[in-house]
Amino acid sequence: MDYQFKSIEAKWQNFWAQNQTYKVETDTTKPKYYVLDMFPYPSGAGLHVGHPLGYIASDIFARYKRLKGFNVLHPMGYDSFGLPAEQYAIQTGQHPAITTEANIKRYREQLDNLGFSFDWSKEVRTSSPDYYKWTQWIFMQLFNAWYNKSTDKAEHISTLIHHLETQGTANLNAVSDDDTQKLLPTDWAAFSEEEKQAELLKYRLTFLKESTVNWCPALGTVLANDEVKDGFSERGGHPVEQKKMMQWSMRITAYAERLLQGLNDIDWPEPLKEMQRNWIGKSVGAMVKFSLERPTSEVGSQDSSDLRLRTSDLIEVFTTRVDTIFGVSFLVLAPEHELVAQITTAAQKAEIEAYIAQTKKKSELDRMADTKTVSGAFTGAYAINPVDGARVPIWIADYVLAGYGTGAVMAVPSGDQRDYLFAQQYNLPIIQILDAQQMENEADPTKEGQYVNSGFINGLNYKEATAKVIAFLEQEGMGYAKINYRMRDAIFGRQRYWGEPVPVYFKNGLPYLIDESELPLMLPEVDKYLPTESGEPPLGRAKDWKYKDEYEYELSTMPGWAGSSWYWYRYMDAKNENAFADKDKIAYWKDVDLYIGGSEHATGHLLYSRFWNKFLKDLGYVTEEEPFKKLINQGMIQGRSNFVYRTRLDIILDLSNRDEVDLSSFVANNPIFVSKNLINNYQNYNEENVLKRLRQKFESAYPNVIIAKFEIRKGGAPIHVDVNIVENDILNINEFKASRDEYANAEFILESGKYICGAEVEKMSKSKFNVVNPDDLTERYGADTLRMYEMFLGPLEQSKPWNTNGIEGVFKFLRKFWKLFHDEAFNFVVSDEAPTKAELKALHKIIKKVEEDIERFSFNTSVSCFMIAVNELTDLKCNKRAILQDLVLLLHPYAPHVTEELWALLGNAAGTISYASFPKFNPEYLVENDFNYPISVNGKTRTNLSFPLSMEAADIEKEVLANEAVQKYLEGKLPKKVIVVKGRIVNIVV
RNA sequence: GCUGAAGUGGUGGAACUGGUAGACACGCAGGACUUAAAAUCCUGUUCGCCCUAAAGCGAGUGCGGGUUCGAUUCCCGCCUUCAGUACCA
């Protein structure tokens, strides 16, 4: 039989499922290898061809590692909490669990169709209560923990309580909110239980805090920073505004430095690490205090608000260039800064208030779009520069952000471009501070040269000056060296239904954890998936949903990233009811050796996961500091759209009888499409025939009408056409006509008898008719072909447009491969004869190549080499078991079904190929005696000459120069120099 | 603006430490088989020039320079595309 992919694939998919071929257990006799895919959100649309790209690559690698003797954990599951199912629930009233279940079923079918070697016994779903029980449990551990900077790790809250009892806040070095109290042990002891809880909340790693959040009114929920793009929600594109709310947060900032340092030890793509570094945004600098000048002379004449000023009032600024402090010519506060109202003088009050009002009106978008101009207002107040006592005016401006640093900056116009623009605009001094500074047209942030106009650092260089200024500030108590991070604590609440309930209840306004024995806290039933009338989240609708029938539960749910921040541990022990995973299993599987997924998760999932992992390690639950040792981003698969070009008839009728004719509907019902290359000129093709046909049709419909003009308009407007009825850019005209009623009578102006479509690369989406579904392709070519074709398309990490054009080539390859084992009549025939040298060479060439390629994740090149090997063996008419059996093993990771079938036909026990061993490469078979040297003259290859590899360079040179063909290129001249690289090349310089 | 990645035939791409640019496919053209089509097989296919053909000549990896006997690969400057980020003090 010819290659019957359908029956073969169905047979083996069934076999694997029946026999649980890929089920894996801890096995200390074998080295472990953990291959993980980023698990999908099961959306209603199902998989398109872009999704499986990473899964295919990881499956190839997992199968390869099995053949290499590793115990491979290769699981799959679903990130099944999320917005789309909830939106659907709001629209239809259908419970999101039902939608999710149906979508998962569809995903599972599609995944099964591709022949992945997942261990489905370890499937996880973040929305299932026996999973989210442990998400809630981890939340509780975070609530019961604080970050001790002295030990540089998270500790149980009891060690903090002990510290407060014995020492108060003395010697306490903790990550906390800003408003913690300084306490003596006696103060702590005197606290009521509630006061203690309120204070502890400021230290807990998950805590409740009033925060400015990204509120999306259309979605009725809060979004994380990475869920907001340009002021709009990433999902749905609804406007997002800033709003203050009580929110659960995660103190990820405690881990900022470890998250940054950890990047040095993991094998991730550099761009991705760079994104995380930028996101963490470490800046090394100093805090500097500027005291406020007491408004002495003005006091009497001002209103009472000015009297609130105290000399003890300070403005703190953060700077990364403390060395430039002598160049400060003004301070700038964010308009939202709390001191603004206090320090503004009566004379400036109106101007300041007008400016604040104006900034509030500016939307986030406007502020971002306009980075070239600056604006601000003077408060009328002055501060004192701590290094030289200079009087510095205080301004407000919206280029200073309230949320970063202290919300105040010291402006050094000579070194900072925004300060420079601001100084120019408002006529403030621009002071040169380094002799190397070039600042005629713009600020010069150089660190070169020696300081000038800079008091006690004049003449010093950058390094010396920085150290000296910091030392001076510390001595004066006016500043200190400090490291700042851009990253903020992560908001951890969503005003949504379809997520994990937070295991917290409230007593007298304070949050408490529910009892661990009550986990999981089940998601309650609600009548509608919308906020309540009073604006509470959907959980507020749950009837009689109270802790111990008494206390209010937390009504917000966890964000999408909660469940995905630890799921790789659950795969190790998916069914465990007593722990999120058994300790021994965690000790065996440790971490993910290879993680494949998209780079869009750079600052979301991949950062939060590293954070939770570090936390779990601090508390001793897991063993590794970093969860994902090696990570690969598969490139995005873009869509490739096809276009047809529509033109129309121009008909002009004789005036007398135009009323009887419905011209516009005739034109609409007879659309005309022009092949791509004829749009501008379609004469001499079949225009005349088309025209004739249409004219006949028109005349038979309206026999008495006199036509003045009847012609096809030049040009054509592009219209998206479904790529599934286009092959190699040639339109299937019959399918096109059948696709829509209005196209039923379509006419085509063809080139060479074909309709050629235009093409363009765009996002893959339904509206562009360019979605290609893997099911259609497996139906037509089989999963093995699709797997290999997706790899053949190009390097895994590169983004590329999907184009089905080349799939035939891969399909042909598999048929050719199949034929190696069969005679002309498709009888299975292999010979037990000893292989020839040429056959062994072809085999070992591919063994070497495939191994090297897989190890460096270059799957596209190994597909090419399989083709070469099969072409060679076909030419050699090789059907020897000794060669073909190894070839079957080599190909198995790529095309598991056909290789299982052939493995069995070769007489091996069914299903054993997955755990066979990868063929051993023997370099002896590739040893050559001769090498065909390319002979180049002045770097241009002119001819080839074969010499023994053992031949010495000097002898080669002699022979080459004596050669007739070479002599011709020398044109009688003497060679200046002859380069002979043994086994590579000969180059003659004339 | 900043950060990162990438520019190679009609198309996807290959060339791993500087050593025969265009492997392997797709497409296209021609041919064989066939009543015909499909399938399959064979030949050609970077571009330009010359030519009946054989052969030959020249150019060529985004652009302009450089290093080298030799550069798709290394260095300098520029252009374009894609992704991330955005007043971060």
Side-chain angles (χ1 to χ4, degrees):
Chain A
M1 285 266 265
D2 197 353
Y3 171 45
Q4 297 291 324
F5 61 86
K6 253 186 218 171
S7 55
I8 292 173
E9 291 182 358
K11 171 179 164 188
W12 290 105
Q13 282 165 12
N14 235 327
F15 180 94
W16 298 329
Q18 295 280 309
N19 295 281
Q20 301 201 58
T21 305
Y22 302 110
K23 193 169 168 169
V24 65
E25 296 300 340
T26 55
D27 176 358
T28 47
T29 64
K30 277 185 179 177
K32 70 100 187 184
Y33 202 90
Y34 191 170
V35 183
L36 183 64
D37 295 288
M38 286 186 191
F39 62 168
Y41 173 78
S43 80
L47 295 171
H48 66 62
V49 288
H51 294 116
L53 186 72
Y55 305 156
I56 294 169
S58 66
D59 194 60
I60 289 172
F61 205 79
R63 288 178 181 275
Y64 166 75
K65 279 287 174 184
R66 263 184 222 114
L67 292 178
K68 280 285 187 179
F70 287 84
N71 195 28
V72 176
L73 178 56
H74 185 41
M76 182 48 85
Y78 308 96
D79 191 11
S80 47
F81 272 134
L83 276 181
E86 182 160 348
Q87 293 291 57
Y88 189 73
I90 292 169
Q91 286 160 22
T92 64
Q94 176 163 287
H95 196 288
I98 298 172
T99 316
T100 303
E101 180 69 37
N103 291 349
I104 285 178
K105 202 165 161 246
R106 167 118 177 88
Y107 264 64
R108 177 64 191 273
E109 276 170 21
Q110 289 188 298
L111 291 170
D112 281 346
N113 276 338
L114 290 166
F116 294 128
S117 61
F118 294 129
D119 176 358
W120 283 108
S121 75
K122 297 189 167 53
E123 181 201 280
V124 303
R125 301 178 183 192
T126 56
S127 62
S128 125
D130 51 345
Y131 182 89
Y132 70 67
K133 171 181 177 178
W134 297 106
T135 310
Q136 291 171 335
W137 181 85
I138 293 171
F139 176 92
M140 292 170 80
Q141 310 311 305
L142 283 153
F143 185 85
N144 276 330
W146 65 294
Y147 200 90
N148 187 344
K149 281 199 266 188
S150 299
T151 55
D152 201 20
K153 60 195 245 192
E155 292 178 12
H156 192 270
I157 198 80
S158 59
T159 67
L160 175 65
I161 295 171
H162 180 75
H163 189 109
L164 292 169
E165 283 168 352
T166 53
Q167 301 179 58
T169 49
N171 304 318
L172 182 63
N173 194 5
V175 179
S176 67
D177 291 354
D178 302 328
D179 59 344
T180 52
Q181 305 178 40
K182 278 209 174 352
L183 300 169
L184 294 170
T186 48
D187 297 331
W188 178 256
F191 269 5
S192 70
E193 191 49 39
E194 280 177 9
E195 284 171 318
K196 283 182 179 171
Q197 285 305 322
E199 195 61 21
L200 286 175
L201 195 55
K202 299 174 186 170
Y203 293 89
R204 296 178 189 278
L205 288 186
T206 182
F207 58 104
L208 205 50
K209 199 189 171 191
E210 170 145 291
S211 342
T212 313
V213 297
N214 302 305
W215 173 252
C216 180
L219 295 173
T221 192
V222 159
L223 299 173
N225 286 332
D226 55 276
E227 292 170 319
V228 182
K229 275 209 156 74
D230 302 333
F232 291 90
S233 67
E234 196 180 25
R235 276 212 173 123
H238 305 292
V240 173
E241 57 189 52
Q242 303 297 303
K243 185 177 169 187
K244 288 211 160 181
M245 274 179 95
M246 263 317 214
Q247 281 292 321
W248 285 99
S249 282
M250 288 278 165
R251 225 179 278 283
I252 188 173
T253 49
Y255 285 87
E257 188 61 30
R258 279 167 69 187
L259 288 168
L260 193 64
Q261 293 310 320
L263 291 173
N264 300 329
D265 307 324
I266 47 183
D267 185 4
W268 286 20
E270 200 47 49
L272 197 113
K273 289 200 209 178
E274 201 57 32
M275 268 188 245
Q276 290 209 345
R277 284 192 193 107
N278 290 340
W279 190 261
I280 295 167
K282 179 179 184 176
S283 25
V284 180
M287 293 294 276
V288 182
K289 292 173 191 163
F290 284 73
S291 51
L292 282 160
E293 183 187 63
R294 192 184 203 141
T296 44
S297 61
E298 296 171 37
V299 156
S301 61
Q302 299 301 313
D303 66 73
S304 59
S305 67
D306 276 8
L307 296 173
R308 278 186 284 134
L309 278 181
R310 299 278 180 278
T311 43
S312 62
D313 279 321
L314 296 163
I315 293 180
E316 267 198 304
V317 302
F318 175 73
T319 176
T320 52
R321 287 296 300 275
V322 74
D323 58 301
T324 63
I325 192 162
F326 288 95
V328 173
S329 49
F330 55 102
L331 294 189
V332 191
L333 306 186
E336 300 91 339
H337 197 283
E338 51 187 8
L339 275 176
V340 172
Q342 285 179 51
I343 62 171
T344 303
T345 60
Q348 292 301 111
K349 202 171 171 192
E351 198 182 314
I352 290 287
E353 279 174 1
Y355 184 73
I356 292 174
Q358 179 203 322
T359 14
K360 272 199 184 140
K361 256 190 280 167
K362 266 209 239 175
S363 74
E364 188 87 351
L365 252 183
D366 295 336
R367 276 176 76 162
M368 282 196 291
D370 182 17
T371 58
K372 289 278 173 282
T373 61
V374 287
S375 64
F378 180 44
T379 62
Y382 290 84
I384 304 299
N385 190 328
V387 289
D388 59 2
R391 212 164 162 254
V392 185
I394 303 168
W395 288 66
I396 65 169
D398 64 5
Y399 76 81
V400 174
L401 306 176
Y404 184 74
T406 60
V409 306
M410 58 179 225
V412 184
S414 62
D416 182 282
Q417 186 57 21
R418 289 152 313 159
D419 297 346
Y420 187 91
L421 288 172
F422 198 86
Q424 274 187 328
Q425 177 133 350
Y426 296 105
N427 273 321
L428 293 156
I430 298 174
I431 307 161
Q432 181 170 20
I433 39 158
L434 279 157
D435 55 8
Q437 238 170 356
Q438 308 263 324
M439 29 171 279
E440 288 74 39
N441 306 312
E442 55 182 5
D444 180 1
T446 185
K447 295 172 181 172
E448 304 293 313
Q450 300 184 335
Y451 289 83
V452 294
N453 304 323
S454 291
F456 59 79
I457 56 169
N458 274 336
L460 299 183
N461 68 25
Y462 170 72
K463 259 193 144 166
E464 297 160 347
T466 304
K468 195 155 181 191
V469 171
I470 288 177
F472 176 85
L473 290 170
E474 279 179 357
Q475 182 194 320
E476 296 287 310
M478 295 305 278
Y480 51 92
K482 165 143 185 152
I483 291 168
N484 228 7
Y485 298 94
R486 191 180 78 116
M487 184 171 64
R488 320 281 197 75
D489 284 329
I491 307 279
F492 196 71
R494 299 289 182 271
Q495 286 58 51
R496 279 286 173 170
Y497 177 74
W498 192 229
E500 300 87 347
V502 176
V504 159
Y505 67 93
F506 288 89
K507 193 160 98 186
N508 298 328
L510 282 170
Y512 294 89
L513 292 178
I514 66 169
D515 201 90
E516 203 177 304
S517 64
E518 313 211 23
L519 289 178
L521 174 59
M522 299 287 284
L523 192 57
E525 294 302 318
V526 293
D527 57 342
K528 271 195 254 174
Y529 304 96
L530 288 169
T532 64
E533 278 68 31
S534 53
E536 287 184 316
L539 292 192
R541 295 179 173 272
K543 272 207 186 110
D544 306 321
W545 193 55
K546 288 222 161 75
Y547 185 62
K548 308 229 187 265
D549 293 325
E550 191 179 352
Y551 305 110
E552 288 289 347
Y553 279 118
E554 168 62 51
L555 295 180
S556 58
T557 51
M558 298 189 196
W561 55 270
S564 61
S565 293
W566 68 280
Y567 76 111
W568 64 97
Y569 286 115
R570 191 61 178 170
Y571 282 137
M572 297 174 186
D573 196 9
K575 302 259 156 57
N576 197 322
E577 289 178 9
N578 305 312
F580 67 90
D582 178 75
K583 262 197 131 72
D584 292 340
K585 290 187 177 165
I586 294 172
Y588 176 75
W589 293 111
K590 288 195 178 73
D591 53 9
V592 175
D593 294 280
L594 174 65
Y595 196 20
I596 297 187
S599 60
E600 66 271 22
H601 299 107
T603 51
H605 162 62
L606 289 172
L607 200 60
Y608 298 131
S609 293
R610 293 180 60 219
F611 158 43
W612 278 32
N613 188 77
K614 284 174 195 297
F615 167 73
L616 290 172
K617 189 200 170 212
D618 284 351
L619 293 198
Y621 293 115
V622 306
T623 60
E624 303 299 309
E625 176 77 12
E626 289 290 338
F628 314 125
K629 239 189 289 187
K630 179 171 179 67
L631 186 136
I632 291 183
N633 290 131
Q634 91 266 27
M636 282 233 303
I637 297 266
Q638 294 145 308
R640 186 175 185 278
S641 309
N642 277 119
F643 297 90
V644 290
Y645 301 89
R646 183 168 181 176
T647 184
R648 51 167 286 184
L649 283 168
D650 277 337
I651 308 173
I652 296 175
L653 303 175
D654 194 80
L655 285 177
S656 56
N657 41 21
R658 120 201 308 180
D659 293 346
E660 304 160 24
V661 182
D662 186 354
L663 251 192
S664 61
S665 83
F666 183 85
V667 169
N669 287 325
N670 291 284
I672 304 164
F673 296 92
V674 187
S675 189
K676 180 185 129 193
N677 301 306
L678 308 178
I679 298 166
N680 296 315
N681 176 22
Y682 43 81
Q683 243 122 42
N684 303 326
Y685 285 86
N686 55 346
E687 184 195 7
E688 288 308 315
N689 295 333
V690 171
L691 204 55
K692 217 181 281 169
R693 252 197 317 273
L694 286 167
R695 194 167 177 133
Q696 274 168 10
K697 213 192 241 179
F698 186 81
E699 283 170 348
S700 69
Y702 304 106
N704 302 317
V705 173
I706 300 161
I707 302 166
K709 182 179 158 196
F710 196 94
E711 58 183 50
I712 298 172
R713 188 177 287 186
K714 300 286 173 268
I719 301 171
H720 276 100
V721 60
D722 187 345
V723 295
N724 295 297
I725 59 171
V726 177
E727 210 174 321
N728 288 323
D729 293 338
I730 298 166
L731 181 70
N732 184 323
I733 288 173
N734 289 334
E735 286 187 43
F736 180 74
K737 282 184 169 177
S739 69
R740 284 208 210 178
D741 289 346
E742 51 175 315
Y743 294 161
N745 299 316
E747 289 287 349
F748 302 87
I749 298 179
L750 307 175
E751 47 185 309
S752 317
K754 290 169 188 155
Y755 189 96
I756 311 289
C757 298
E760 211 172 288
V761 173
E762 300 178 291
K763 216 184 120 158
M764 199 173 272
S765 88
K766 261 188 192 164
S767 64
K768 299 190 164 65
F769 300 102
N770 59 5
V771 175
V772 183
N773 179 312
D775 305 303
D776 297 343
L777 292 168
T778 46
E779 174 69 23
R780 200 156 151 203
Y781 299 102
D784 285 338
T785 297
L786 180 63
R787 285 168 65 107
M788 291 195 81
Y789 183 60
E790 291 223 9
M791 294 297 103
F792 189 57
L793 220 45
L796 179 62
E797 304 195 58
Q798 230 168 66
S799 287
K800 55 225 150 192
W802 177 262
N803 188 340
T804 315
N805 288 358
I807 198 167
E808 289 281 348
V810 175
F811 185 60
K812 273 189 219 163
F813 156 77
L814 281 176
R815 294 180 60 178
K816 229 173 152 177
F817 175 68
W818 181 258
K819 269 198 191 152
L820 281 176
F821 301 78
H822 295 82
D823 65 15
E824 295 294 309
F826 287 107
N827 299 305
F828 182 83
V829 181
V830 292
S831 127
D832 283 314
E833 272 176 68
T836 65
K837 232 180 138 183
E839 288 164 346
L840 283 166
K841 187 177 165 189
L843 174 68
H844 283 264
K845 219 163 63 184
I846 180 88
I847 294 177
K848 180 162 186 268
K849 180 73 180 163
V850 167
E851 193 163 347
E852 283 171 0
D853 283 350
I854 294 187
E855 294 283 353
R856 64 191 173 108
F857 305 95
S858 173
F859 302 107
N860 56 323
T861 49
S862 41
V863 176
S864 299
C865 286
F866 277 121
M867 291 175 172
I868 294 171
V870 167
N871 287 346
E872 282 174 357
L873 292 173
T874 303
D875 288 346
L876 291 167
K877 300 195 172 22
C878 172
N879 71 339
K880 299 185 181 142
R881 180 186 301 274
I883 300 292
L884 296 187
Q885 177 142 323
D886 276 355
L887 191 60
V888 165
L889 279 167
L890 289 175
L891 189 64
H892 177 248
Y894 293 80
H897 309 88
V898 67
T899 48
E900 277 276 17
E901 180 73 14
L902 290 167
W903 183 254
L905 285 172
L906 282 164
N908 302 288
T912 55
I913 189 172
S914 298
Y915 296 95
S917 34
F918 198 80
K920 284 243 161 10
F921 169 63
N922 184 347
E924 278 171 33
Y925 295 116
L926 299 192
V927 171
E928 295 272 357
N929 297 325
D930 294 329
F931 179 74
N932 199 22
Y933 283 86
I935 312 297
S936 49
V937 179
N938 287 336
K940 278 213 178 319
T941 308
R942 293 302 181 177
T943 184
N944 286 293
L945 292 174
S946 193
F947 299 111
L949 269 166
S950 56
M951 197 167 181
E952 289 306 319
D955 301 328
I956 295 176
E957 183 177 331
K958 239 181 270 166
E959 295 242 5
V960 166
L961 290 178
N963 184 281
E964 212 175 298
V966 175
Q967 285 291 334
K968 203 171 73 185
Y969 289 102
L970 295 180
E971 293 168 355
K973 288 176 234 163
L974 267 182
K976 246 190 231 161
K977 198 171 169 189
V978 179
I979 290 118
V980 179
V981 184
K982 243 180 135 180
R984 283 219 184 260
I985 199 167
V986 177
N987 190 14
I988 304 165
V989 188
V990 190

